[in-house]
Amino acid sequence: MTDPLIDDAGEITTPITELPKPARRVLGVLVEKAFTTPEYYPLTLKAVTTGCNQKSNRSPLTSYSEDDVSDTLETLRQLGLAAVVHTESGRTERYRHYMRKRFTLSEAQLAILTELLLRGRQQLGELRSRASRMVPIESLEQLREELDGLSALNLLQTSGSLDRRGVEVDHNLYTANENMKLARAADDEEPVERPAAAPRAPERSAPASPPA
C-alpha cells in the first residue's frame, strides 16, 4: 500500500476509488452495526468477524478468520476508514468506522452505500427496503435523489436510467481486476432525463435526510 496523503490537520486525504473485497465487507459490517445495534458498537474483533460471516443480508457468503479480519481492519485504519477504540469498561480493543470523515454523505446515502457493500447489485425496490433497516427512506423518489448524490461522487454505477423499470445499481468501489462494471441495457445507452412536473401541479417535497 502506498503511503497515505496527510493534510496539515493530520487527517488522511488519499482519495478512495476502490477497496478490496474483504475491506468492503468489514467496512460494511462496521457501518451496519453502528446503525442497527448501537448498544454493541464499537465492535470487538469477534463481533466484526461474526458480522462478516453471517448468513443473512450478505452476498457472497464468507468464512473469514479473525486474523483475516484483523489484517483488513489494519488496512482500513491506514486508509482513515476505521480506528481502534479503547473503552473504559473493558480491556478488549473495539473498532469503529470513519466513513463520515472520509466521505461527505447524507445518512440515507451512507445506509444505501453500506447495503450495496454488503450485498452488491440490487434493484431499487429491494435496495430501499433493505437500506431502510438503517435509515428510513420514505419513497422511491427519495431513493433516486440519494442515488443521484452517490453517482455525483462516483460511488455508484447503474445499468440504466434510475427511472427505468428493473434498473439495477451497485457501488463503484470494486477493484479493476474484479471486472464488476454494470452493463447498460441495450435500449438505455444514454441517461434519460426525467420529465419536469406539470407547471400547476402541487409540489411534493421529498423528506429531508438527517444530517450526516
Side-chain angles (χ1 to χ4, degrees):
M1 179 182 296
T2 58
D3 293 335
L5 299 176
I6 309 292
D7 66 13
D8 292 340
E11 299 288 341
I12 297 174
T13 60
T14 308
I16 297 172
T17 58
E18 62 178 40
L19 289 171
K21 178 181 171 183
R24 298 193 304 265
R25 175 59 57 89
V26 170
L27 184 59
V29 167
L30 288 173
V31 183
E32 177 197 49
K33 300 305 183 184
F35 275 127
T36 60
T37 55
E39 64 273 23
Y40 299 116
Y41 180 81
L43 303 179
T44 63
L45 175 60
K46 180 178 180 180
V48 179
T49 305
T50 299
C52 286
N53 297 332
Q54 73 181 50
K55 292 182 169 50
S56 61
N57 204 48
R58 301 288 184 268
S59 181
L61 299 181
T62 58
S63 55
Y64 294 146
S65 68
E66 288 191 7
D67 286 343
D68 294 333
V69 173
S70 179
D71 290 345
T72 301
L73 284 164
E74 176 59 20
T75 297
L76 292 172
R77 189 192 67 77
Q78 292 180 36
L79 289 170
L81 285 167
V84 180
V85 178
H86 298 275
T87 61
E88 296 179 0
S89 59
R91 301 175 187 174
T92 305
E93 289 184 340
R94 291 176 176 266
Y95 299 88
R96 60 159 300 161
H97 72 85
Y98 275 157
M99 282 288 282
R100 294 181 183 89
K101 285 190 173 184
R102 297 295 272 118
F103 297 100
T104 303
L105 302 171
S106 69
E107 292 297 276
Q109 287 169 347
L110 182 55
I112 292 164
L113 183 58
T114 298
E115 184 60 42
L116 293 172
L117 290 174
L118 292 173
R119 293 191 69 121
R121 61 193 296 174
Q122 299 173 53
Q123 293 188 7
L124 300 195
E126 57 192 1
L127 176 58
R128 178 191 163 218
S129 175
R130 290 164 178 162
S132 291
R133 298 179 304 114
M134 293 175 270
V135 174
I137 300 174
E138 303 297 340
S139 65
L140 284 175
E141 187 55 38
Q142 183 194 352
L143 176 66
R144 291 186 183 100
E145 291 176 3
E146 303 292 359
L147 291 173
D148 282 340
L150 290 171
S151 291
L153 295 171
N154 201 32
L155 293 172
L156 188 85
Q157 55 175 323
T158 77
S159 64
S161 166
L162 292 177
D163 288 309
R164 184 176 181 274
R165 184 182 297 276
V167 67
E168 291 185 314
V169 298
D170 201 350
H171 67 80
N172 206 25
L173 292 172
Y174 292 103
T175 58
N177 62 4
E178 289 179 278
N179 194 27
M180 292 293 288
K181 292 294 183 184
L182 286 179
R184 295 186 74 89
D187 60 347
D188 195 5
E189 293 297 332
E190 297 295 334
V192 177
E193 184 176 348
R194 293 179 205 153
R200 298 190 181 181
E203 293 185 0
R204 218 168 108 191
S205 300
S209 300

